Amino acid sequence: MRTDRFLRIALPTATVAAFLLAWTAYVHTAEVSAFILPTPLQIVSAFIGLVSDAEIWRHALVTVIEAVSGFLIAVVLGITLGMAMARIQMLEWAFKPFIVCLQLIPKIALAPLFILWFGFGLESKIVIAAALSFFPVFSNALVAFRSVEPGDRDVFTMLQANPVQRFTMLDLPTALPVVLAGMEVAVVMSMIGAIVGEFIGGNEGLGYLAVAMLQELQVPGLFAVIVLLTLIGLTLYTLIAQLRGWLTPWHASVAGRSQDA
Amino acid sequence: MKMDNAADIRAADIRLAGVGKTFGQGEHAVRAIGDATLDMQRGDFISLLGPSGCGKTTLLRIIAGLERPSEGEIVVRGHPVWEGGKRSAEATRPVSMMFQEARLFPWFTVAENVALPLRLRGVRKAEREARAHALCETVGLKGFERMRPSSLSGGMRQRASLARALITEPQVLLLDEPFGALDAMTRDTLNMELMSVCAQAQVTTILVTHSITEAAFLSDRVVVLAARPARITEVIEMPFERPRTLDLQRNPEFQDMLVRLRASLTGGH
Ligand SMILES: Nc1ncnc2c1ncn2[C@@H]1O[C@H](COP(=O)(O)OP(=O)(O)OP(=O)(O)O)[C@@H](O)[C@H]1O
Ligand SMILES: [Mg+2]
């Protein structure tokens, strides 16, 4: 057990260190231009420069607000619609064509359209983020609320449970693990949506900053922005994963994780 | 309730009249139960014995109002289970059912699962916890109250499920192979416990089992079922005096009864 724990830390440390060393060695030996691929050290110093500038946090805040707002809209809409369609078969029949079409459209391709409709401000990015993160929540909610077993329903029927009790003590806890898994995917998608929106139009946000860096050929700075975006994405994802552990501690995915730790 | 004459007092607690159930239609139709007629008085203990797939679970579910019979009528405590196409609350409220699978909910602890029926009825937390803990002790789950069902063994889950069925102090108890996953010793202990609970509170009980010994030992009557065509082949009285002890199982008359039951079971094919 103890060697296991040691290896779990030592192995990833070793591979990451080897990767960074190889990267540095490659840049030096192959004499790659710093405009194309900076060394990890150059990126780190650019990153430190970046985060010590107050301006960066304004951009970061914009991106986070866009992504989180879009995500929350997607969660509310996705869960409500998924639940409604799981309950009312007719709703699904009625809206199936729209859902299939919307699912097939590469949502990213809609981004320019949303900019056209909602302008260059925050709103269009929020809409893009929401559009991208809606489906993971919606389709998981639809499956989740359908997956209550008839045998479990029978128990509640025998106990004369009222509809509210059924919902809070049976449907909701059955669906939660799957819905939260959808939300984990969705939160990543919402970051992508916000960044793509900023690429296309606007003058603030980390996506905008990345494009600006590229135009000024500040490649280490570009990498630093990517690192920052990754850290923000990781934070959001971890928050949802924490929420999952907190809301569904009984579920195998959570139980398994805490055993590993 | 009308209890105004002698006939009503002796009225059957559970009455099945010509109950039949066919699943599906046309060539895919499966006949699960045919022409089941049976009267049970208050406090009766009967067992359903029969090969796998002969409709035992279906019959229990029909009595519980979870399945609508294709024909015939069921009356529980004077109330038809189905009235105008709807499941009657009066007929089903006094009924507790223990399902063939334990059906515990992973988001509740063992004690919370056992106490669930009380929670749904609005019983205060302190009281339902006290009763759940007492029942957990009765079924041999002391010390496991705060665990999740997933950390229990199959037999322990069945016991928790039994406790959940008993906690409402039901007047009618339907048990679908409750002790299938238990060792013989625990099974005997729980059977004795079950018998005393049912006798004390005059619970009308229907037990589905594959064990001929268990059926003969616990029951006032054993109903033998057969498949294809699905039907009740025989209803046999168990004339052994109560209270019964495990010694009864060594009694020659009891042994003869087992032979008789086995013959009835194999003859039904
Ligand atoms: N919902 C259903 N739809 C279609 N057929 C069903 C359904 N439920 C039961 N049946 C059929 O009815 C028959 C009786 O099933 P049932 O579950 O009552 O048997 P059982 O006596 O409880 O068997 P076991 O001892 O294996 O539990 C079987 O042939 C089964 O396939
Ligand atoms: Mg069965």
Side-chain angles (χ1 to χ4, degrees), chain A:
Chain A
M1 282 316 282
R2 181 163 295 163
T3 53
D4 264 11
R5 197 173 298 165
F6 171 73
L7 286 177
R8 286 185 67 119
I9 296 167
L11 279 179
T13 312
T15 50
V16 170
F19 173 71
L20 293 176
L21 275 177
W23 179 347
T24 310
Y26 172 73
V27 173
H28 286 307
T29 54
E31 290 181 354
V32 187
S33 156
F35 286 121
I36 301 202
L37 185 65
T39 62
L41 263 181
Q42 283 170 314
I43 294 174
V44 168
S45 77
F47 182 77
I48 291 170
L50 199 70
V51 296
S52 43
D53 181 0
E55 188 67 3
I56 189 76
W57 296 109
R58 192 175 62 79
H59 287 293
L61 188 66
V62 167
T63 305
V64 169
I65 288 175
E66 292 164 353
V68 171
S69 312
F71 170 73
L72 290 179
I73 292 172
V75 166
V76 171
L77 282 182
I79 293 181
T80 314
L81 289 179
M83 202 165 69
M85 286 195 190
R87 291 251 158 152
I88 308 163
Q89 181 70 62
M90 305 256 229
L91 268 184
E92 199 197 355
W93 291 341
F95 291 103
K96 191 91 189 192
F98 296 96
I99 293 166
V100 172
C101 278
L102 283 176
Q103 217 152 9
L104 290 177
I105 296 176
K107 256 79 61 194
I108 290 275
L110 294 176
L113 203 57
F114 290 145
I115 303 261
L116 182 70
W117 288 345
F118 299 99
F120 288 93
L122 286 186
E123 294 87 347
S124 55
K125 282 88 175 184
I126 293 177
V127 173
I128 298 168
L132 249 67
S133 45
F134 170 75
F135 274 98
V137 180
F138 168 76
S139 44
N140 277 38
L142 181 63
V143 172
F145 282 97
R146 282 246 167 94
S147 62
V148 181
E149 289 182 31
D152 287 348
R153 290 197 188 287
D154 287 342
V155 174
F156 275 73
T157 304
M158 285 314 294
L159 298 176
Q160 326 272 337
N162 65 38
V164 175
Q165 293 172 327
R166 260 175 204 275
F167 182 75
T168 56
M169 293 184 221
L170 180 61
D171 296 63
L172 203 57
T174 305
L176 259 183
V178 178
V179 172
L180 284 163
M183 282 167 61
E184 281 184 6
V185 178
V187 80
V188 176
M189 299 304 281
S190 73
M191 277 298 284
I192 297 177
I195 296 164
V196 167
E198 291 165 357
F199 281 173
I200 302 178
N203 53 11
E204 47 186 359
L206 292 175
Y208 160 77
L209 200 61
V211 176
M213 297 271 186
L214 177 68
Q215 279 160 356
E216 293 165 25
L217 285 180
Q218 286 198 39
V219 181
L222 177 57
F223 271 92
V225 171
I226 295 173
V227 171
L228 187 56
L229 281 172
T230 310
L231 291 179
I232 293 173
L234 184 68
T235 310
L236 291 179
Y237 178 86
T238 311
L239 279 177
I240 302 296
Q242 281 300 116
L243 188 70
R244 181 159 141 175
W246 178 62
L247 285 178
T248 62
W250 70 84
H251 196 254
S253 62
V254 175
R257 211 161 48 195
S258 63
Q259 253 166 33
D260 285 353

Side-chain angles (χ1 to χ4, degrees), chain B residues 52-53 55-58 100 176-177 208 210:
Chain B
S52 185
K56 305 179 294 292
T57 298
T58 306
Q100 198 163 354
D176 200 348
E177 297 182 37
V208 171
H210 283 289

